[in-house]
Amino acid sequence: MIVQDFPIETKRLILRPFQKSDLDAVMGYHALPEVQRYLEWKARDRVEVKSALDAMVLQHRLQRPGDALVLAVVRRSDDALIGQVSLRWTDATAGQAELRFIIAPAQQRQGYAREAVREMLDIGFERYGLHRIFARCAARNQASASLLRNLGLRLEAHYREHALFQGEWDEELHFAILDREWLRGTKVKELHRNMVA
């Protein structure tokens, strides 16, 4: 079993387990219609958001398939909780996990998602020894698709009209990256940084 040390700090963010006291901050983005369609749990009102938060508070380690590591994304400059990022261990034999992330709409387009997702990929591959991490996003969510591509994940599938959501056909993109691809890319970036420094 790997014991994860928290909090995890990046340049601008702190990633830490959720706490029950995070309810108002989580409510601030979970209750938004543009976020709700992508959540694992119903979270339209305070009762539903509290139920989702209660589940997330318990999800802070990967010990067996089905477990999730769900972390609050907190901005270091003002200690504001601005989103969440997670890994769900889906397959032990193949060493696979699903990556998910949400940044509150008011905080988007500032590079926070990229910083949090990059750290979770490092955690998945370097600390947990995963072989493959995949992520899904709505085809219309070009910001998320671009982020995943820029971090080196490849588009593996485009599911057209695969589900109905509130009377509209939904389309979904599936991205993935292997451990050796991520680690090779990380080493190349480190080498480039050292040459520039």
Side-chain angles (χ1 to χ4, degrees), residues 10 15 27 34 56 59 68 96 102 106-107 126-127 138 141-142 144 146 151 164 174 177 196:
T10 66
L15 305 182
M27 181 80 190
E34 62 265 39
M56 292 189 300
Q59 297 178 316
Q96 293 191 62
I102 300 169
Q107 308 303 324
E126 295 180 14
R127 298 192 191 194
N141 188 345
Q142 288 303 306
S144 289
S146 178
L151 285 173
L164 273 172
H174 286 220
I177 190 167
V196 170

Side-chain angles (χ1 to χ4, degrees), residues 41-170:
W41 305 279
K42 282 184 9 180
R44 290 186 210 99
D45 59 34
R46 194 168 186 85
V47 172
E48 291 174 342
V49 173
K50 183 183 180 307
S51 178
L53 178 60
D54 289 346
M56 292 189 300
V57 164
L58 300 174
Q59 297 178 316
H60 53 82
R61 70 174 62 95
L62 300 179
Q63 292 181 290
R64 63 187 62 86
D67 285 353
L69 174 63
V70 184
L71 301 177
V73 177
V74 177
R75 190 169 44 213
R76 290 176 68 172
S77 63
D78 60 2
D79 208 33
L81 195 161
I82 60 169
Q84 64 196 65
V85 63
S86 68
L87 281 175
R88 179 174 302 280
W89 191 8
T90 59
D91 187 323
T93 305
Q96 293 191 62
E98 180 177 8
L99 169 74
R100 290 186 172 207
F101 56 96
I102 300 169
I103 297 295
Q107 308 303 324
Q108 292 175 2
R109 303 195 191 311
Q110 297 178 57
Y112 296 129
R114 180 182 180 84
E115 200 168 321
V117 167
R118 178 189 297 279
E119 189 63 28
M120 286 301 271
L121 289 166
D122 278 343
I123 290 168
F125 289 128
E126 295 180 14
R127 298 192 191 194
Y128 284 101
L130 293 168
H131 173 63
R132 180 177 180 271
I133 295 176
F134 64 95
R136 298 176 289 160
C137 74
R140 69 178 72 181
N141 188 345
Q142 288 303 306
S144 289
S146 178
L147 165 67
L148 294 169
R149 281 189 187 97
N150 288 338
L151 285 173
L153 283 79
R154 92 188 126 280
L155 178 64
E156 293 189 332
H158 182 164
Y159 292 95
R160 298 182 185 278
E161 298 185 7
H162 75 107
L164 273 172
F165 181 79
Q166 297 180 349
E168 285 185 54
W169 284 109
D170 216 4

Side-chain angles (χ1 to χ4, degrees), residues 26-32 35-36 39 41 43 49 52 56 84 102:
V26 173
M27 181 80 190
Y29 62 90
H30 268 227
L32 297 173
V35 172
Q36 288 172 3
L39 297 173
W41 305 279
V49 173
M56 292 189 300
Q84 64 196 65
I102 300 169

Side-chain angles (χ1 to χ4, degrees), residues 125 130-131 177-185:
F125 289 128
L130 293 168
H131 173 63
I177 190 167
L178 301 176
D179 53 354
R180 65 180 175 270
E181 295 168 332
W182 177 254
L183 298 173
R184 182 175 57 235

